[in-house]
Amino acid sequence: MAPHSPGTDQIDTLLWIGFVAAVIVVVAINVALIYAVRRFRAERGVTPREGRDDRRGQLRVGAVLTAFAAVVFVLSIVLTDKARETPSTGSAGLASLKSEPLTIKATGQQWLWRYDYPNGAFSYYKLVVPVDTAVKLELVSTDVVHTWDVPDLVGKRDAVPGKVNDVVFLADDEGSYGGNSATLSGQAYASMRTEVEAVSPDEYEAWAEQQKSDIESAQDRVVGLIEGGEVP
Ligand SMILES: [Cu+2]
């Protein structure tokens, strides 16, 4: 995971806390086991010494484990308290938006994603967004449940038929972030990938305008063909 948004930084931190805690536990258990085996080992034919009831030892181990669990718990909460916070557009983001996030509709359909932008442009597979800008995706589906999942930017969210689910994210760096389908949505769900391309606000606006005029001229051409009788 290579986090590129304020929230995913903290999800990444949580992952590391869990990993380090697991390593500490595994190492401690093995060290204690090896110590016990060596300490109570005996010669062949000799009955080994038995460990005696040791209430104070048990209490000490219990106290250490409790303290360890408390430290992990407190660290996890302190270091990740902003993981679910909704980001807001920064100084390098799209200035025309003021406090509102840029709202884009994302439609899941078997087996691709369609994105509808505020100016009427749309795109398939690739979502283009301005960098350092809060983007609100309104997730819908035309058929079955799909899951939009771009782990570097935000936690995954479902697109459910008949419902609108929001997910807000902010890309803190220009670049391309990949996403996979995270819920089985039929035979070709594995190829239902997506890509988020974060570009500068100027590039975003230029792209959206270009995309819109490309779509319109293509539609005009089709209408012309139909009216000219070339397409039945
Ligand atoms: Cu899907």
Side-chain angles (χ1 to χ4, degrees):
M1 197 169 154
H4 271 288
S5 72
T8 47
D9 278 348
Q10 300 207 329
I11 294 173
D12 195 47
T13 306
L14 191 60
L15 210 80
W16 277 103
I17 293 174
F19 177 70
V20 171
V23 167
I24 291 174
V25 168
V26 167
V27 169
I29 288 174
N30 281 287
V31 166
L33 207 65
I34 291 167
Y35 171 77
V37 166
R38 292 181 68 96
R39 169 125 191 244
F40 297 105
R41 186 166 53 178
E43 292 296 307
R44 200 177 282 274
V46 177
T47 315
R49 215 149 42 91
E50 276 178 34
R52 267 171 293 116
D53 251 4
D54 183 0
R55 271 206 78 66
R56 287 182 60 192
Q58 286 170 358
L59 283 175
R60 219 177 301 141
V61 170
V64 168
L65 289 179
T66 307
F68 180 71
V71 167
V72 171
F73 180 72
V74 169
L75 267 184
S76 315
I77 287 181
V78 169
L79 294 177
T80 61
D81 64 325
K82 293 192 172 67
R84 299 183 70 88
E85 233 170 55
T86 309
S88 42
T89 302
S91 54
L94 199 61
S96 57
L97 284 169
K98 305 205 171 70
S99 57
E100 288 291 297
L102 172 64
T103 303
I104 294 171
K105 189 173 150 202
T107 309
Q109 54 193 79
Q110 286 172 322
W111 286 275
L112 46 82
W113 289 100
R114 173 187 164 121
Y115 300 105
D116 283 278
Y117 301 82
N119 71 345
F122 57 83
S123 64
Y124 287 92
Y125 171 71
K126 189 195 271 183
L127 167 65
V128 180
V129 297
V131 78
D132 202 22
T133 302
V135 176
K136 181 164 118 187
L137 275 191
E138 289 180 345
L139 292 159
V140 296
S141 167
T142 59
D143 37 48
V144 299
V145 175
H146 298 280
T147 302
W148 193 84
D149 183 22
V150 180
D152 288 351
L153 295 179
V154 70
K156 56 191 163 195
R157 199 65 48 96
D158 286 347
V160 180
K163 267 191 79 173
V164 182
N165 281 341
D166 291 344
V167 63
V168 181
F169 66 90
L170 177 149
D172 61 14
D173 229 344
E174 287 183 30
S176 188
Y177 309 102
N180 294 313
S181 213
T183 298
L184 182 67
S185 55
Q187 295 104 306
Y189 96 101
S191 63
M192 192 174 163
R193 301 215 168 89
T194 191
E195 185 187 329
V196 177
E197 198 182 334
V199 296
S200 73
D202 289 347
E203 276 176 83
Y204 165 76
E205 284 185 319
W207 176 87
E209 278 314 306
Q210 184 64 46
Q211 183 81 349
K212 189 185 174 192
S213 70
D214 284 355
I215 290 168
E216 281 169 357
S217 63
Q219 284 170 340
D220 287 346
R221 219 153 47 229
V222 171
V223 169
L225 288 174
I226 292 171
E227 283 171 351
E230 289 175 59
V231 175

